[in-house]
Amino acid sequence: MKLIFLDIDGTLTKPGENTPPASAVDAIEKARAKGNKVFLCTGRNPDMLRPLLRYQFDGFISCAGGYVAVGEKYDEILYDHPMTPEQRDTALNALHKHGVFCTIEAEKGSWGDENLGEFLSGQGEGNSELERWRKALAGNLGIKPMKEYDGSPVYKVVIMCQKMEQLDEAKKLMGDEFNFVVQEVKVGNTSSQCINGEIINKEFNKGLGVEIICRRFGVPISDTIGFGDSMNDLEMIQTVGFSVCMANGSEKLQKLSDMVCASVSEDGLAKAFANLHLI
């Protein structure tokens, strides 16, 4: 039996979408029928990944490792580690003070700054994360206005800004406890750039989520396979026994992975499952 871990955006689906290619759905069903277990391993919170659960999985690692659940109804919670209210408020105050656009993610909802859509509309084409948030604003992932935030525990803050210096104060206040996983995205053929990324608690990551699930099922790390496309999949790729990066993914992650498969739009998962004898 193998434990298979799948990132969502840019890996299982096109960025921001909730419908995998039919070939991927078929491959997952066949892999599970063969006795393997398949898990989502994503930065999305449970609310954002919920549309994917109409396809059967054996569990999920969500919030970049902050919330891990398994079971037929995903009701066996193995790990649950939100930010404290103080951490949340420190982050938002420091980021908003310097004009950083934020989205906060809880278990059952996400809330974003109301002017984020206007900011993104001028950013041109970017990486998979930018595309995910664009489509999220169109309603795919159900992000609500920040003014409607209900106080639910927050696991992660997603950030966008134009200059890295806008993050300096937040890093100074929170850098000991949180990783600022950010990347600079060039905007079209211009010299402009967009900084986007996530603030994630150092207490967890996708790789630790993989280890938690392995302990739960008594499966060694050597019998795990992970699929990803961006650098927020790094800890998963470094942890699993065999790592696969999508052809549409980060060049750096491709170099760190054991295998590069076809892109998500070219039936990459199905082809890789077949090549790895998972189906």
Side-chain angles (χ1 to χ4, degrees):
M1 177 177 69
K2 300 289 186 182
L3 303 187
I4 304 165
F5 297 88
L6 305 177
D7 173 54
I8 297 177
D9 295 285
T11 301
L12 176 62
T13 70
K14 293 181 180 179
E17 297 188 1
N18 291 318
T19 303
S23 62
V25 175
D26 181 62
I28 291 167
E29 291 176 350
K30 288 179 177 177
R32 295 183 73 238
K34 197 173 177 179
N36 302 297
K37 293 186 181 295
V38 183
F39 304 87
L40 296 174
C41 187
T42 178
R44 291 192 190 190
N45 61 348
D47 185 62
M48 284 184 177
L49 66 79
R50 208 167 304 282
L52 277 301
L53 299 184
R54 65 182 183 270
Y55 311 102
Q56 189 60 50
F57 296 93
D58 295 285
F60 58 76
I61 298 166
S62 65
C63 303
Y67 189 95
V68 181
V70 298
E72 186 175 344
K73 296 182 179 180
Y74 312 107
D75 55 0
E76 183 181 346
I77 310 304
L78 302 182
Y79 190 77
D80 185 3
H81 194 108
M83 302 171 81
T84 67
E86 293 76 18
Q87 290 170 333
R88 175 201 64 206
D89 292 345
T90 296
L92 289 179
N93 289 338
L95 293 167
H96 284 153
K97 178 180 177 180
H98 295 280
V100 178
F101 297 86
C102 302
T103 298
I104 53 176
E105 298 183 7
E107 178 191 350
K108 297 181 179 179
S110 301
W111 297 265
D113 290 332
E114 286 87 335
N115 51 354
L116 179 56
E118 181 181 345
F119 172 74
L120 285 182
S121 67
Q123 295 305 311
E125 295 302 317
N127 66 355
S128 66
E129 291 299 302
L130 268 179
E131 189 67 17
R132 176 161 75 91
W133 289 107
R134 278 181 169 164
K135 293 186 177 181
L137 290 169
N140 279 9
L141 300 182
I143 298 177
K144 298 178 282 291
M146 189 71 81
K147 65 184 178 183
E148 298 179 11
Y149 173 52
D150 62 5
S152 299
V154 169
Y155 292 81
K156 191 177 63 170
V157 181
V158 175
I159 51 178
M160 286 187 177
C161 58
Q162 294 178 312
K163 297 180 180 179
M164 201 71 78
E165 304 90 81
Q166 291 172 264
L167 305 178
D168 286 348
E169 182 172 350
K171 286 182 178 180
K172 181 178 180 180
L173 293 172
M174 306 186 70
D176 290 340
E177 297 178 308
F178 288 80
N179 287 314
F180 284 66
V181 184
V182 299
Q183 49 197 328
E184 299 180 27
V185 182
K186 186 177 179 182
V187 180
N189 295 319
T190 71
S191 59
S192 300
Q193 65 180 8
C194 173
I195 309 299
N196 75 288
E198 303 168 324
I199 300 177
I200 301 174
N201 199 313
K202 291 182 178 180
E203 292 288 330
F204 58 76
N205 58 58
K206 289 185 178 183
L208 292 175
V210 169
E211 293 177 356
I212 288 169
I213 289 179
C214 283
R215 289 196 295 269
R216 165 61 180 82
F217 291 99
V219 174
I221 288 291
S222 58
D223 285 333
T224 62
I225 302 173
F227 291 77
D229 73 301
S230 66
M231 289 306 291
N232 62 14
D233 297 312
L234 177 62
E235 288 87 358
M236 175 186 69
I237 292 297
Q238 291 175 327
T239 300
V240 293
F242 191 87
S243 56
V244 184
C245 184
M246 312 302 290
N248 53 273
S250 158
E251 290 185 8
K252 185 174 181 180
L253 196 71
Q254 289 181 24
K255 293 177 181 178
L256 296 171
S257 299
D258 297 310
M259 172 181 172
V260 176
C261 71
S263 69
V264 62
S265 60
E266 296 177 333
D267 301 315
L269 282 185
K271 292 174 180 177
F273 273 40
N275 289 338
L276 294 171
H277 307 292
L278 298 173
I279 57 179

